[in-house]
Amino acid sequence: MSTARRLRIPGIAYGGDYNPEQWPEEVWAEDMRLMREAGVTMVSVGIFSWALLEPAEGVYDFARMDKILDLLHANGIAADLATPTAAPPAWFFRKHPEALPVDKDGRTLSYGSRQTFCPSSPAYRRAALRITEALAERYATHPAVAMWHIHNEYGCHNDACYCDMSAAAFRTWLRARYGDDLDALNHAWGTTFWSQWYYSWDQIQPPRTTAAPPNPTHRLDWRRFCSDELLSLCTAEREVLRRAAPDTPATTNFLILRTIDALDYWRWAPELDILSNDHYLLSDDPESEVDIALHGDLMRSLAGGPWFLMEHSTGAVNWQPVNRAKLPGEMRRNALAHVAHGADGIAFFQWRAAKAGAEQWHSAMLPHAGTDSQIWRDVVQLGADLKALAEVRDSAVTAEVAIVWDWDARWALELPSQPSGELRYQDLVRDWYTPLWRAGVSVDFVRADDPRLDRYKLVLAPSLYLVTETAAANLTRFAERGGTLAVGFHSGMVDENAHVYLGGYPGAFRDVLGVITDELFPLLPGTTTGLAGDVPAGAMADLWSERVRLTGAQSVVTYADGPLAGHPAVTRHRHGDGIAWYVATRPDQDTLAALLDRIRQDAGVTPEQDIPVGVEVVRRRGAEADYLFLIDHTGKGAEVLAEGVELLTGKPVSGTVSVPPGGVAVVREPR
């Protein structure tokens, strides 16, 4: 969290989205009483209140919000006050139908839901800034307001609009990107292919539905534009808020999820005072605890330190094909895992479960069943837990290992017409992250061009299909200076314009890896190839293979069968003062874990300690003490080496601490 504009709430903030406008006023007093019982310290308000705050253009009704904020302040609960711009009211669209979004097939979408606006609409921007300014002027000095909540989940439903206004905005963005040089754009997009050459800017359209596969660079620039267009709306609202309340921090809730990839959060992160995220489990994920850890580490890396969990669920959500309830103890483990990975605030959607509307079957802190429910008892327990962990706030997680994360590379990898349509960026990164998580090795995420890579002993690039020459040189220098670099298959293939690096694969990384590939052999779904060499017995690989020739590297693992039998599958190369590894296939889980153990040992990285299987371990480092988080995911419990005080129980620890079955222990270990 930014030190310039800090959240002025002690300890770990706790709460959720509060929507009292959905309930009669006599319910509000009960809300305050139960919030105090649960230990709630901050709630988000006004997120979807535009229609009530501005019932007609330029006509405001703040009476309800005045009462809500006064009530929260009287009960010692801070407000994260939202600009309600994620859901424009019906009167706006009746007056400005041109502001409705258009999909890539040319269909205009209707209002009647949320985020049904064109991000490039001047009318929407004017209306959004007007309501933001009215809120800011009225509540800038209200004692309840501790943080501004800008919009809600940018890009969740309207990450792209293909209307003519968006086309014009896209052309403006392109002219800035290419220095108003149309020839430069044509070169970057490779428009000599398929007669796509543009002779004037107004010939360029969004990548609407076409008969054949689209131009990949056109699509890539479109993704960049859409992210920047939404960011411009966010920063415009932020500036209005800062003028009114210069010392009040502002946030917007990111969507760091496996299924969401609309925005380049490396570009967004520096624009906000506090970074926050909404994270939800996917019902079909057999190891959702890994997903929590990975995305928590990514958020911590984006923030450069602690961050805020703005939304997660107490139980089931409402938007998946089947919405499973959380198992006993799972909600507590989820929340405290987020704290372990850097969250200094824990919040849910939402406080009171809605009885009407599109999210009426989404779980909440106060469920439909009321206080005589397991969810409510768990919510109260979590409030006590977070109070006990107050001193953990502002402590940091330190790591010797970094994983490269890049939204351009993700977008480019998943464009049509790849050698394999089975490649999924998130899955490839998670494949490499999981063994480190299981071993208790903390991980940061970094940009490939981060000039501070020397902080790490080991840098992993599991999937870096697109990489600039500058970024590739940065990773190469890291190895030359003594670091250990490991690169996954189909990396270094194209530049920032998605043009192939010629001369053999893996393109930009050939020299540092000491290999060259002349042919790719992606594997059909359901097929595998055996692996031989320094691997466990029966080692297999799937998804990908390639014909690798050594140009200085040593072969560590080879293909055991198939058309590439005997060819290298994993290589190791001494480059300068460091080591560079290349993994040219996707090994099975156990084989990849063993391989990453060897690579980690090669780099001199050791785990926190030898921990029982299924126990997650994370250390946050404070000014005067360390905080060892231990989370049992087996349901069996464990004994783990520790020394100090277990904060959740207040009991001293000498030698070992008992982690309850399916439970959590947090040990303060003095320096």
Side-chain angles (χ1 to χ4, degrees):
M1 298 183 184
S2 168
T3 56
R5 297 177 183 85
R6 287 179 53 81
L7 185 61
R8 296 182 296 275
I9 297 176
I12 308 294
Y14 184 45
D17 285 14
Y18 183 40
N19 298 294
E21 66 273 12
Q22 298 175 10
W23 301 91
E25 195 167 333
E26 55 265 26
V27 174
W28 299 358
E30 182 187 43
D31 286 334
M32 296 302 107
R33 177 179 64 81
L34 292 177
M35 285 183 188
R36 293 196 305 270
E37 181 180 331
V40 168
T41 58
M42 186 172 78
V43 292
S44 298
V45 292
I47 291 175
F48 296 114
S49 298
W50 194 345
L52 300 178
L53 293 170
E54 190 179 7
E57 185 173 15
V59 177
Y60 301 106
D61 182 357
F62 293 117
R64 183 185 290 102
M65 185 60 73
D66 289 348
K67 291 180 181 179
I68 292 167
L69 292 177
D70 289 347
L71 190 62
L72 289 170
H73 182 61
N75 283 273
I77 299 167
D80 169 37
L81 180 57
T83 62
T85 53
W91 62 255
F92 170 78
F93 291 113
R94 297 295 290 177
K95 185 171 183 179
H96 297 286
E98 78 283 359
L100 289 167
V102 175
D103 69 15
K104 62 182 178 181
D105 294 322
R107 298 176 300 177
T108 300
L109 306 183
S110 178
Y111 61 90
S113 183
R114 65 176 184 174
Q115 291 182 323
T116 49
F117 63 86
C118 167
S120 299
S121 165
Y124 169 77
R125 183 180 289 257
R126 288 192 300 270
L129 295 183
R130 186 175 63 238
I131 185 65
T132 297
E133 185 171 27
L135 274 170
E137 289 178 351
R138 189 170 187 88
Y139 298 118
T141 59
H142 195 288
V145 177
M147 183 163 64
W148 298 114
H149 185 304
I150 302 171
H151 198 82
N152 185 71
E153 297 182 337
Y154 277 105
C156 181
H157 301 288
N158 64 338
D159 59 298
C161 173
Y162 295 80
C163 73
D164 289 341
M165 286 186 301
S166 296
F170 183 40
R171 289 190 284 267
T172 298
W173 183 91
L174 290 170
R175 294 180 83 141
R177 178 174 177 82
Y178 293 104
D180 209 23
D181 185 343
L182 194 56
D183 285 345
L185 178 141
N186 278 305
H187 175 74
W189 286 15
T191 56
T192 53
F193 189 82
W194 279 1
S195 190
Q196 295 171 15
W197 191 272
Y198 296 106
Y199 291 92
S200 66
W201 292 99
D202 60 10
Q203 293 174 351
I204 300 171
Q205 300 289 351
R208 295 164 177 156
T209 300
T210 54
N215 181 309
T217 318
H218 185 179
R219 282 278 298 271
L220 182 58
D221 270 350
W222 175 251
R223 297 297 297 268
R224 293 163 170 158
F225 157 75
C226 290
S227 177
D228 284 355
E229 193 76 342
L230 287 167
L231 178 57
S232 74
L233 292 175
C234 179
T235 56
E237 290 191 27
R238 181 206 64 197
E239 288 306 297
V240 171
L241 298 169
R242 281 188 180 173
R243 286 196 296 270
D247 298 326
T248 302
T251 191
T252 191
N253 39 345
F254 289 179
L255 282 167
I256 303 288
L257 293 166
R258 189 177 71 181
T259 55
I260 302 289
D261 68 346
L263 307 179
D264 182 349
Y265 288 125
W266 287 121
R267 291 177 61 82
W268 282 64
E271 303 294 343
L272 297 157
D273 303 309
I274 294 173
L275 295 196
S276 59
N277 190 46
D278 295 353
H279 185 273
Y280 290 99
L281 306 186
L282 300 181
S283 294
D284 63 353
D285 187 348
E287 288 189 300
S288 56
E289 60 269 23
V290 179
D291 201 62
I292 291 172
L294 189 157
H295 291 118
D297 286 345
L298 179 55
M299 275 302 299
R300 189 190 73 247
S301 302
L302 287 163
W307 54 281
F308 197 107
L309 180 66
M310 189 62 71
E311 290 183 25
H312 71 314
S313 68
T314 57
V317 298
N318 69 299
W319 43 267
Q320 297 178 38
V322 177
N323 298 291
R324 73 167 181 87
K326 291 190 176 180
L327 300 175
E330 187 176 7
M331 185 268 279
R332 183 173 185 249
R333 290 195 303 276
N334 292 169
L336 296 182
H338 284 294
V339 176
H341 290 273
D344 274 1
I346 296 294
F348 294 92
F349 180 84
Q350 59 179 323
W351 162 251
R352 184 183 282 269
K355 65 178 181 179
E359 295 182 295
Q360 67 189 116
W361 293 112
H362 195 295
S363 61
M365 299 174 77
L366 184 60
H368 292 138
T371 56
D372 186 16
S373 62
Q374 188 59 52
I375 280 182
W376 174 251
R377 290 186 282 274
D378 290 345
V379 162
V380 173
Q381 177 61 56
L382 180 59
D385 290 339
L386 295 176
K387 185 176 180 180
L389 297 179
E391 66 185 80
V392 173
R393 177 174 170 163
D394 292 329
S395 59
V397 177
T398 59
E400 296 179 317
V401 180
I403 294 178
V404 176
W405 184 284
D406 187 277
W407 270 275
D408 273 357
R410 177 176 182 175
W411 294 336
L413 178 72
E414 297 181 9
L415 288 170
S417 303
Q418 281 284 342
S420 172
E422 300 295 311
L423 304 182
R424 298 290 179 270
Y425 182 87
Q426 277 262 18
D427 293 344
L428 297 176
V429 174
R430 180 164 154 169
D431 284 347
W432 286 40
Y433 176 88
T434 301
L436 296 167
W437 174 83
R438 288 201 177 106
V441 175
S442 291
V443 170
D444 285 345
F445 287 89
V446 294
R447 299 173 62 120
D449 58 0
D450 189 330
R452 303 165 299 162
L453 293 183
D454 289 347
R455 294 177 296 167
Y456 304 102
K457 294 181 178 179
L458 173 61
V459 173
L460 307 175
S463 181
L464 199 57
Y465 169 69
L466 179 152
V467 64
T468 67
E469 290 185 2
T470 299
N474 188 52
L475 292 168
T476 298
R477 278 194 301 273
F478 168 75
E480 287 174 347
R481 294 172 179 173
T484 298
L485 172 69
V487 177
F489 64 83
H490 208 37
S491 293
M493 306 297 269
V494 300
D495 65 15
E496 64 270 26
N497 296 318
H499 292 196
V500 174
Y501 286 109
L502 301 178
Y505 319 123
F509 296 128
R510 287 193 306 266
D511 291 343
V512 67
L513 297 175
V515 299
I516 190 168
T517 292
D518 70 335
E519 190 73 33
L520 306 176
F521 287 77
L523 300 176
L524 294 173
T527 64
T528 61
T529 182
L531 298 176
D534 191 5
V535 290
M540 305 292 290
D542 67 356
L543 191 65
W544 191 269
S545 63
E546 54 189 66
R547 187 163 54 210
V548 174
R549 177 164 51 87
L550 303 177
T551 59
Q554 296 176 323
S555 178
V556 177
V557 178
T558 61
Y559 299 107
D561 51 41
L564 299 181
H567 284 272
V570 178
T571 62
R572 182 180 184 273
H573 182 227
R574 177 165 293 282
H575 187 80
D577 293 329
I579 301 295
W581 291 77
Y582 185 47
V583 183
T585 189
R586 186 173 75 170
D588 65 77
Q589 191 175 70
D590 290 343
T591 301
L592 180 59
L595 178 63
L596 288 172
D597 277 349
R598 177 175 173 182
I599 292 172
R600 176 174 53 75
Q601 293 163 9
D602 211 26
V605 175
T606 57
E608 172 69 35
Q609 58 172 287
D610 289 333
I611 53 174
V613 174
V615 175
E616 180 176 2
V617 56
V618 186
R619 182 180 296 275
R620 288 185 63 163
R621 301 183 66 84
E624 298 178 357
D626 289 354
Y627 302 96
L628 187 66
F629 283 75
L630 301 162
I631 306 172
D632 174 50
H633 296 291
T634 68
K636 300 176 182 178
E639 296 290 321
V640 180
L641 295 175
E643 196 80 29
V645 175
E646 203 288 302
L647 295 178
L648 297 176
T649 61
K651 295 180 179 179
V653 173
S654 180
T656 61
V657 62
S658 294
V659 186
V664 182
V666 183
V667 182
R668 181 211 297 130
E669 295 190 325
R671 292 279 165 76

